[in-house]
Amino acid sequence: MPEYTLKVRRYQPESGEGPYWQEFNVDLDPDLSVLDGLLQVRDRQDGTLVVRCSCRAAICGSCGTKINGQSGLACKTLISEAQEDADRRSTNGSAPIVVEPMGNMPVVKDLVTDMESTHWEKIRRVTPWLLPEGDPPEREYIVPPESMIDITQSMACIQCGACVSSCLSMEADPEFIGPAALAKAYRFVGDPRDGDTKERLYDLAQDPHGIYDCTHCFSCVDACPKGVAPMDQIMRLRRKAGDDEDIDDDNNGRRHELAFTKIIERKGTLDESLLLQESYASGIKGKLIPTPGAIKGLVGSLPTAVRGIRTGKMRSLSKLIPGVHPKLPGDSQKHVRNIYEHAESHREELNLYITGEEEALEEGAPEEPLEPEADLTPEAEVEPEPDEERGR
Amino acid sequence: MPKHDVLVIGAGLAGQRAALAAAEEGVSVGIVSKVHPVRSHSNAAQGGINAALQEGDSWESHAFDTVKGSDYLGDQDAIEIMCREAPDEILHLEHLGVTFHRNDEGKLGTRAFGGASQARTYYVADITGQAIMHVLYEQLMKYSELISRYEEYFTTGLVLDDEGRCAGAVLRNVSDGSMELFEAKNVILASGGNGQIWQPTTNALICTGDGIGMAYRVGAPLMDMEMIQYHPTTLAKKGFLITEGARGEGAHLLNAQGERFMERYAPNKMELASRDVVSRAEQTEINEGRGFDDGTVSLDITVVPRKRIHEALREIVLVGRDFAGVDITREPIRIKPGNHYTMGGVKTDVNGATTIPGLYAAGEVACVSVHGGNRLGANSLLDTLIFGRRSGEHAAARAKQVEHGRTSDAVLADSELEIAELIGRDHTKGRRVSVLRKELGDTMDRFVAVFRDEAGIQTALDRVKALQEEYPSAYIDDQGTVFNQDVLGAIELGFMLEQAECTCVGALHRTESRGAQYRTDYPERNDEEWLKHIDLTRSEDGPEVSYSPVTITQWQPMERTY
């Protein structure tokens, strides 16, 4: 049987010592999991090593950990794959499998974290129970079958915390409600039986640590072992809050997002010179329409902008001069618009309960072509909009 | 010292349902669990929950299927109650927010399941248990002012007062190792089954039957402990479950020659015969050399339309991909019968009451008995909810009539001493607790499984007794207080050994074949002698055997064919 080395970040609170690394060798079938490796250590070598675990089959959500830096479930990570991954990341082609407790949470002992004060408190923050309007019907609520399949993706969440562990926004803002709790919120917002949809959306949009605190980094989508894709649920919340309920939040999150999409629709890439202005005072019909808090917001954003320039995140100052931003070559801009039109005419969600795994799409469900159809308005006939003029 | 009218031990479906029902009656409720409630093993119930709720179906039909499935060992009064109350329970869950599958009209839709004469299984994809349990936990959070949650508290034992009434329990806070006596007018055990006594098993690592062990220790009789279900479709190496829903959706069982062998064993119901029947058919194929080299047969899900697989069996797609390296939408998957469910347990009446006043049990820990010799698929979730609720209601009603029993701190001191002794054991003498646990699992799976005989069961019983003798010298490593899982594992092993002994004794005693108990030396069902329950009560010399009659209301035993 092959031998693997697990390098475990340990912490024994009663020892008076800080955290330390310890390596264990285990003999294991390659198709067993990292959790099986940890359990072998516990059973044969060192019973003081602790990790929460129960089902071993990615159902109970106990064994959230970081393996080679990636948040996930120890039971769902094959030890042979973890080894390949560790080797790939190392400089000399071979390295132990690194196992650490989850991030963004205090560590209790070894791989056990305090999920109560982080994960569960945030779950409770989103009023996580159904609030139906009026008395229930005599029989079941009659609802569209798709709606139940739709929220089943959120219901598939096993509360393992892997998404919370991987969340970059939460690292910057520990008060961010976070991917798991927001995915849970969608489970009610998307539920036709819930009577508080509007209130929920308003609450989550107005909270400075709410839906607009997500930076769209995809970490949670990668980390989630159940295909819940928490970020997708957050984006659905945003769409429902912004498009369906027309909620303009005090954080300016919605307008900032609209500014992004609008600029790219027009220019193909992000013209940063327009971003701030467009976020606070969109230039529809040639007139700047400032939001109520525009001046305050713009001034408040200055330190961030300065920091961006100073740290080199904003690479050249010339980018901030309006009109310098390059146009896309040839008719590329036309293709960008086609993508927008396609997306807008297909408000489809990637829900694994409907489409299956991504690879299944190859031969299974026919993909709609992205090519423009004959009856689409040609790009040339579109009047250039005033804000584009101003851009020049 | 925490004090509650009703203390629920275990927070899976039965426990959470009991706590909610008791709280609705306006009494003070505490619910404790050795893991966070949403980690409970009810999660693993994939396929669905039965109820005769559709037009054209009837509770009598559901009850008859259950009686027949139980091989006539189920108590028909309890089964009638469960099946009659099932439709309202489903509607209640739906109103709380469970995202049950809908048909085209937007109404609740069903799928077919084993041993059932109608498609009456309600479901949420193949995460039904998880979906229901998370919704109940939502309700626990909603009613947190009425229900105190003690999450990650391990119960080490029950406390009786001088008059033999249950008066509380001793708990260890896992996070800091502190021990406390919890006073309660009523204790409801809802701590699940004991699948970990067998290796491999579909059951989670936490399924060590603590509640069964605890009740037995304070003198509550256990019933039908020999009735252990082997599920027909589990992954060969790890024992993971492939839902019966796969066969419900139309999947075929094939032997190594590609034959749909169920034709020979259950020509009418084929793959959807009762679980004991299908497991025996598979094991026969394997034993007679028609299985694959790794001791398996195969389950062919590719006959189910791909769209339907993604919608209804997604969890199985993941299990296949992640744990067997098989894309179930494209190729058959190797499976075999594996330990799955404890039909036996703490003997209760239809209200969950045990013979000890103030002590209730509901769900897999209990034996009402609605499952008798063999549980039907999708009846376990129903059992947990119906009898969880009934226990909660009855315990609450009793709480309004009685005072708290007098408890003595001596019990707490004893428990603390016991743990100190465990922690202080000499490493140079005995073997590790984990080694004993593994030996127990291997032994039970080898000798007390699908096919049994006297010699095998006796061998198992001898080994279990030897392990019991060795147990007081078995050692652990962790001597700390914070999150000491090692010491909890040792306590669990103590519970498991006593239960294993009971199972062996029951299996030896029942010299017939009924439901999950198939004796190759007594291959026929023998209603004349054995249409009765085996009750086991703890004594100095091990389990003491007595019998109780099976309650028959309207269905006389008949020959059982599928």
Side-chain angles (χ1 to χ4, degrees):
Chain A
M1 227 180 278
E3 186 171 281
Y4 300 92
T5 304
L6 294 170
K7 183 178 173 185
V8 184
R9 187 176 165 88
R10 303 206 57 185
Y11 171 59
Q12 296 273 317
E14 292 161 271
S15 68
E17 310 274 319
Y20 59 98
W21 292 98
Q22 189 174 2
E23 294 194 0
F24 298 98
N25 294 326
V26 294
D27 299 315
L28 215 63
D29 259 351
D31 56 355
L32 292 180
S33 69
V34 171
L35 178 66
D36 289 316
L38 293 168
L39 291 179
Q40 190 184 100
V41 171
R42 200 170 85 177
D43 284 350
R44 297 187 193 168
Q45 302 176 43
D46 184 352
T48 68
L49 178 70
V50 301
V51 54
R52 283 196 186 99
C53 55
S54 183
C55 75
R56 306 158 295 140
I59 298 168
C60 76
S62 298
C63 64
T65 40
K66 271 191 193 173
I67 296 164
N68 299 320
Q70 172 70 26
S71 300
L73 295 176
C75 71
K76 195 171 173 274
T77 311
L78 289 189
I79 195 143
S80 49
E81 284 175 7
Q83 185 63 64
E84 280 168 32
D85 186 36
D87 293 346
R88 207 169 34 238
R89 286 162 194 257
S90 77
T91 44
N92 60 359
S94 134
I97 298 163
V98 178
V99 187
E100 298 167 84
M102 286 195 286
N104 288 328
M105 300 174 201
V107 177
V108 175
K109 178 176 172 181
D110 291 344
L111 300 171
V112 172
T113 57
D114 174 10
M115 288 188 72
E116 171 54 32
S117 69
T118 46
H119 177 79
W120 287 107
E121 199 178 292
K122 290 172 193 291
I123 293 285
R124 291 192 293 270
R125 156 72 186 81
V126 303
T127 321
W129 46 81
L130 195 74
L131 294 167
E133 223 169 306
D135 292 330
E138 201 168 304
R139 295 260 314 186
E140 68 268 37
Y141 288 96
I142 310 242
V143 295
E146 315 80 69
S147 68
M148 288 293 113
I149 296 176
D150 176 50
I151 52 173
T152 295
Q153 187 172 20
S154 288
M155 280 309 298
C157 171
I158 54 175
Q159 310 293 347
C160 68
C163 60
V164 174
S165 165
S166 74
C167 179
L168 297 176
S169 289
M170 204 179 281
E171 219 171 294
D173 172 17
E175 287 183 60
F176 175 35
I177 295 176
L182 289 172
K184 183 84 177 168
Y186 182 76
R187 173 251 174 285
F188 301 104
V189 167
D191 194 326
R193 296 169 295 184
D194 195 85
D196 256 33
T197 311
K198 206 174 179 140
E199 293 79 357
R200 288 178 189 274
L201 286 169
Y202 188 82
D203 169 41
L204 296 173
Q206 293 295 12
D207 190 324
H209 315 288
I211 48 178
Y212 291 109
D213 213 6
C214 166
T215 59
H216 232 147
C217 76
F218 284 83
S219 290
C220 61
V221 178
D222 282 348
C224 178
K226 303 304 285 189
V228 173
M231 191 193 81
D232 288 3
Q233 314 305 330
I234 299 174
M235 294 309 131
R236 288 163 156 186
L237 288 171
R238 282 190 189 176
R239 202 186 277 178
K240 283 193 187 279
D243 295 358
D244 298 353
E245 298 293 341
D246 214 17
I247 298 168
D248 275 321
D249 57 293
D250 297 339
N251 313 304
N252 215 36
R254 181 191 181 194
R255 284 193 201 82
H256 186 64
E257 190 171 72
L258 286 174
F260 249 93
T261 47
K262 198 159 147 197
I263 291 168
I264 290 171
E265 186 182 7
R266 302 279 154 72
K267 309 233 166 189
T269 53
L270 186 67
D271 183 347
E272 285 170 292
S273 68
L274 293 177
L275 188 58
L276 258 187
Q277 170 244 296
E278 191 65 33
S279 299
Y280 284 101
S282 65
I284 302 159
K285 299 199 170 85
K287 269 189 209 151
L288 292 177
I289 305 172
T291 60
I295 303 292
K296 203 176 151 210
L298 278 166
V299 173
S301 302
L302 280 176
T304 312
V306 171
R307 204 161 55 237
I309 294 165
R310 203 186 282 151
T311 55
K313 199 169 175 216
M314 203 171 276
R315 272 161 305 160
S316 78
L317 271 177
S318 62
K319 280 196 154 192
L320 290 181
I321 301 166
V324 175
H325 191 76
K327 290 182 78 168
L328 289 187
D331 60 354
S332 303
Q333 187 60 41
K334 196 170 144 191
H335 290 307
V336 171
R337 282 203 181 227
N338 285 336
I339 292 171
Y340 270 72
E341 275 167 32
H342 177 85
E344 275 155 24
S345 61
H346 295 71
R347 267 188 70 156
E348 264 173 24
E349 311 289 353
L350 178 65
N351 181 331
L352 298 179
Y353 281 90
I354 300 168
T355 60
E357 300 300 305
E358 293 89 318
E359 60 262 38
L361 287 175
E362 289 162 23
E363 51 171 81
E367 257 289 63
E368 291 268 335
L370 273 180
E371 293 302 310
E373 281 163 32
D375 59 347
L376 284 182
T377 318
E379 167 71 3
E381 287 174 23
V382 176
E383 285 288 314
E385 302 234 346
D387 66 347
E388 269 190 312
E389 293 290 333
R390 206 175 53 250
R392 290 186 194 109
Chain B
M1 186 187 333
K3 202 167 177 175
H4 293 286
D5 289 327
V6 176
L7 182 68
V8 184
I9 297 174
L13 278 189
Q16 295 195 32
R17 189 69 186 86
L20 288 165
E24 265 177 56
E25 302 296 319
V27 300
S28 129
V29 181
I31 183 165
V32 306
S33 169
K34 65 178 175 180
V35 291
H36 187 283
V38 305
R39 314 292 175 220
S40 304
H41 193 56
S42 305
N43 261 341
Q46 298 168 342
I49 176 166
N50 289 331
L53 181 58
Q54 295 194 100
E55 234 169 273
D57 200 357
S58 67
W59 71 260
E60 289 93 342
S61 164
H62 181 190
F64 172 69
D65 290 342
T66 304
V67 169
K68 179 180 171 188
S70 81
D71 218 347
Y72 296 91
L73 190 64
D75 287 309
Q76 297 181 8
D77 54 341
I79 292 171
E80 286 189 5
I81 287 172
M82 179 175 83
C83 298
R84 252 199 314 243
E85 295 181 359
D88 280 346
E89 190 62 30
I90 300 283
L91 292 176
H92 176 67
L93 294 172
E94 199 278 326
H95 295 159
L96 291 183
V98 176
T99 57
F100 282 118
H101 170 81
R102 307 289 161 146
N103 61 23
D104 291 341
E105 295 167 21
K107 296 178 180 166
L108 294 174
T110 58
R111 68 162 41 129
F113 238 64
S117 51
Q118 293 252 7
R120 65 166 72 92
T121 303
Y122 294 87
Y123 65 99
V124 181
D126 52 359
I127 56 168
T128 313
Q130 176 190 328
I132 298 176
M133 195 168 71
H134 282 244
V135 167
L136 289 189
Y137 189 67
E138 290 167 9
Q139 297 298 309
L140 283 192
M141 290 191 279
K142 181 177 177 184
Y143 294 110
S144 54
E145 281 173 20
L146 305 174
I147 303 168
S148 308
R149 301 194 303 274
Y150 303 93
E151 296 168 352
E152 296 187 321
Y153 277 70
F154 186 98
T155 311
T156 59
L158 299 170
V159 178
L160 302 191
D161 68 9
D162 302 340
E163 292 161 46
R165 300 178 306 180
C166 189
V170 176
L171 278 84
R172 179 181 170 95
N173 181 345
V174 178
S175 70
D176 64 10
S178 61
M179 309 267 299
E180 244 182 314
L181 178 66
F182 278 50
E183 279 191 80
K185 290 182 185 173
N186 301 277
V187 171
I188 300 176
L189 294 169
S191 46
N194 59 19
Q196 279 293 319
I197 295 172
W198 285 258
Q199 295 296 343
T201 172
T202 63
N203 283 201
L205 296 167
I206 55 172
C207 299
T208 49
D210 303 357
I212 303 175
M214 270 182 256
Y216 182 61
R217 281 188 193 171
V218 296
L222 308 183
M223 188 164 94
D224 299 340
M225 287 294 283
E226 69 281 13
M227 294 303 180
I228 299 297
Q229 180 164 79
Y230 268 61
H231 193 288
T233 53
T234 70
L235 286 188
K237 202 184 286 175
K238 295 190 135 189
F240 293 165
L241 177 68
I242 306 286
T243 176
E244 186 165 303
R247 282 171 286 139
E249 299 292 342
H252 295 169
L253 286 168
L254 305 173
N255 63 18
Q257 282 111 52
E259 292 171 317
R260 239 182 120 184
F261 57 84
M262 284 310 296
E263 280 167 359
R264 291 198 295 276
Y265 303 89
N268 297 319
K269 295 295 286 182
M270 297 291 285
E271 281 84 358
L272 288 177
S274 274
R275 288 178 176 175
D276 58 330
V277 174
V278 180
S279 283
R280 271 196 295 280
E282 289 175 5
Q283 198 61 51
T284 305
E285 292 294 303
I286 294 164
N287 292 352
E288 293 178 358
R290 292 187 294 279
F292 295 97
D293 293 341
D294 57 351
T296 60
V297 289
S298 71
L299 177 69
D300 185 3
I301 311 176
T302 63
V303 295
V304 181
R306 179 186 289 260
K307 179 173 175 291
R308 184 65 189 155
I309 294 180
H310 287 305
E311 176 183 294
L313 298 170
R314 201 176 94 82
E315 192 61 32
I316 301 309
V317 174
L318 298 180
V319 168
R321 190 191 68 191
D322 297 333
F323 299 112
V326 171
D327 179 352
I328 60 152
T329 66
R330 287 161 210 257
E331 55 182 318
I333 188 165
R334 303 271 180 99
I335 51 88
K336 66 170 198 174
N339 174 279
H340 183 58
Y341 188 83
T342 318
M343 267 83 69
V346 183
K347 184 184 176 76
T348 72
D349 68 12
V350 295
N351 301 321
T354 69
T355 55
I356 295 178
L359 182 62
Y360 292 76
E364 198 172 343
V365 67
C367 185
V368 187
S369 162
V370 285
H371 308 306
N374 172 68
R375 174 174 70 74
L376 288 193
N379 263 356
S380 66
L381 291 183
L382 185 60
D383 170 21
T384 62
L385 293 162
I386 298 294
F387 294 101
R389 174 175 56 70
R390 292 177 71 93
S391 302
E393 287 168 357
H394 282 262
R398 183 177 178 274
K400 291 174 184 168
Q401 292 160 5
V402 302
E403 295 300 312
H404 277 277
R406 283 170 59 119
T407 54
S408 131
D409 276 347
V411 191
L412 177 61
D414 285 351
S415 290
E416 282 172 329
L417 215 65
E418 224 168 276
I419 286 181
E421 186 275 324
L422 241 169
I423 285 175
R425 281 182 195 167
D426 188 349
H427 281 45
T428 57
K429 284 189 181 143
R431 295 192 291 170
R432 279 174 181 278
V433 161
S434 54
V435 176
L436 271 61
R437 184 164 167 159
K438 175 148 196 323
E439 214 169 285
L440 173 67
D442 294 345
T443 303
M444 295 298 282
D445 189 56
R446 186 161 163 213
F447 297 110
V448 196
V450 177
F451 291 112
R452 310 164 173 183
D453 63 21
E454 186 180 336
I457 303 168
Q458 189 61 53
T459 308
L461 181 58
D462 293 344
R463 290 196 190 168
V464 168
K465 282 185 171 166
L467 288 171
Q468 276 178 326
E469 270 173 44
E470 191 183 344
Y471 175 69
S473 65
Y475 69 88
I476 56 171
D477 292 333
D478 200 335
Q479 308 195 323
T481 52
V482 177
F483 234 91
N484 185 338
Q485 296 177 321
D486 224 7
V487 77
L488 303 183
I491 299 170
E492 289 169 345
L493 179 63
F495 290 138
M496 286 157 74
L497 286 168
E498 284 194 283
Q499 295 168 74
E501 187 188 5
C502 290
T503 295
C504 292
V505 168
L508 259 187
H509 235 80
R510 188 178 283 282
T511 48
E512 66 155 354
S513 291
R514 181 185 300 273
Q517 155 100 343
Y518 193 92
R519 291 277 302 255
T520 51
D521 41 359
Y522 298 93
E524 300 296 323
R525 193 175 84 191
N526 179 352
D527 287 335
E528 228 155 86
E529 280 179 72
W530 284 110
L531 188 62
K532 59 187 176 190
H533 299 293
I534 298 181
D535 298 343
L536 302 166
T537 315
R538 193 170 192 256
S539 77
E540 285 301 309
D541 316 314
E544 210 165 79
V545 177
S546 58
Y547 306 102
S548 53
V550 172
T551 309
I552 291 176
T553 56
Q554 47 177 315
W555 296 284
Q556 291 302 320
M558 291 192 298
E559 197 196 346
R560 183 165 167 259
T561 54
Y562 284 99

